[in-house]
Amino acid sequence: MSIQVLDKTFVPYLSEQEIQDRINQLAIQISADYEGKNPLFIGILNGSFMFASDLFKNITTPSTISFIKLVSYKGTTSTGTVITSIGLEENLQDKDIIIIEDIVDTGKTMSTFIPSLQQLQPASIRICTLLHKPDALQFPLRLDYVGFNNQGKFVVGYGLDYDGYGRNSREIFQIAQTS
């Protein structure tokens, strides 16, 4: 079943069950990697809110979560500019940080954000992303936890949007091919 978001048509890409199964796998891996530690998860708003919530519910090691708003998309393309509109209030010194992203596309957002985090002297920084577009990556990044690789399709649903719309789905849809 396709959906319409503004002027674009989207078709099914990942089902709710596929997403939840992969999130459970990621949570098991992260919980094992951070056993005996107390990591701080940082969700990147707005897109990661559903993923961050479901992932965090499945983490079994003591941990905390916070959010920051970084904006780099307009419509279906990256603007190349990252704007911080809500910042962190926590002291990050000597903390293990896990950044939760909805999607890593060009890598511009993370390549801008991570140096500012490093100035706050955390013990470690790792990235957990639900989706990764390896063919679009333009900035060198190490992604520690990846849910799914997306081969360049623009997607909406499960927190991902098109100009603010389409986030409110339990599934992820990809843009339909136009003839």
Side-chain angles (χ1 to χ4, degrees):
M1 167 185 92
S2 66
I3 63 168
Q4 188 74 26
V5 179
L6 299 176
D7 61 338
K8 307 265 187 254
T9 302
F10 293 85
V11 296
Y13 177 58
L14 293 170
S15 72
E16 179 181 7
Q17 190 62 55
E18 289 172 303
I19 295 165
Q20 293 305 317
D21 287 349
R22 185 65 184 127
I23 288 171
N24 284 333
Q25 293 168 357
L26 290 170
I28 289 167
Q29 184 181 357
I30 292 168
S31 294
D33 290 351
Y34 285 88
E35 187 175 340
K37 297 182 178 182
N38 187 359
L40 168 64
F41 289 81
I42 299 175
I44 307 299
L45 295 174
N46 286 341
S48 77
F49 75 100
M50 286 186 176
F51 175 44
S53 173
D54 287 343
L55 179 69
F56 198 66
K57 285 186 268 188
N58 288 289
I59 296 296
T60 58
T61 190
S63 50
T64 57
I65 190 166
S66 188
F67 292 88
I68 187 166
K69 186 167 185 177
L70 303 174
V71 180
S72 67
Y73 256 78
K74 177 99 175 131
T76 61
T77 57
S78 176
T79 63
T81 304
V82 178
I83 301 165
T84 304
S85 55
I86 298 174
L88 287 170
E89 297 175 3
E90 286 80 6
N91 176 359
L92 302 185
Q93 187 169 354
D94 300 324
K95 293 200 180 205
D96 292 301
I97 307 296
I98 302 168
I99 299 168
I100 304 173
E101 262 282 41
D102 56 348
I103 187 165
V104 173
D105 191 325
T106 64
K108 173 72 173 171
T109 302
M110 286 298 98
S111 71
T112 301
F113 181 50
I114 288 175
S116 64
L117 276 184
Q118 288 170 329
Q119 292 177 2
L120 302 173
Q121 302 175 343
S124 66
I125 300 173
R126 290 192 177 174
I127 301 171
C128 177
T129 185
L130 180 62
L131 297 171
H132 175 226
K133 289 185 180 179
D135 295 341
L137 196 64
Q138 297 174 10
F139 297 84
L141 278 181
R142 181 174 142 215
L143 302 176
D144 302 283
Y145 307 100
V146 176
F148 302 93
N149 282 319
N150 175 332
Q151 298 306 320
K153 294 284 189 174
F154 186 79
V155 292
V156 298
Y158 195 69
L160 298 137
D161 74 300
Y162 169 45
D163 275 352
Y165 292 90
R167 294 184 195 278
N168 57 327
S169 170
R170 296 171 187 254
E171 301 171 83
I172 296 177
F173 294 83
Q174 65 183 357
I175 199 162
Q177 293 287 12
T178 55
S179 343

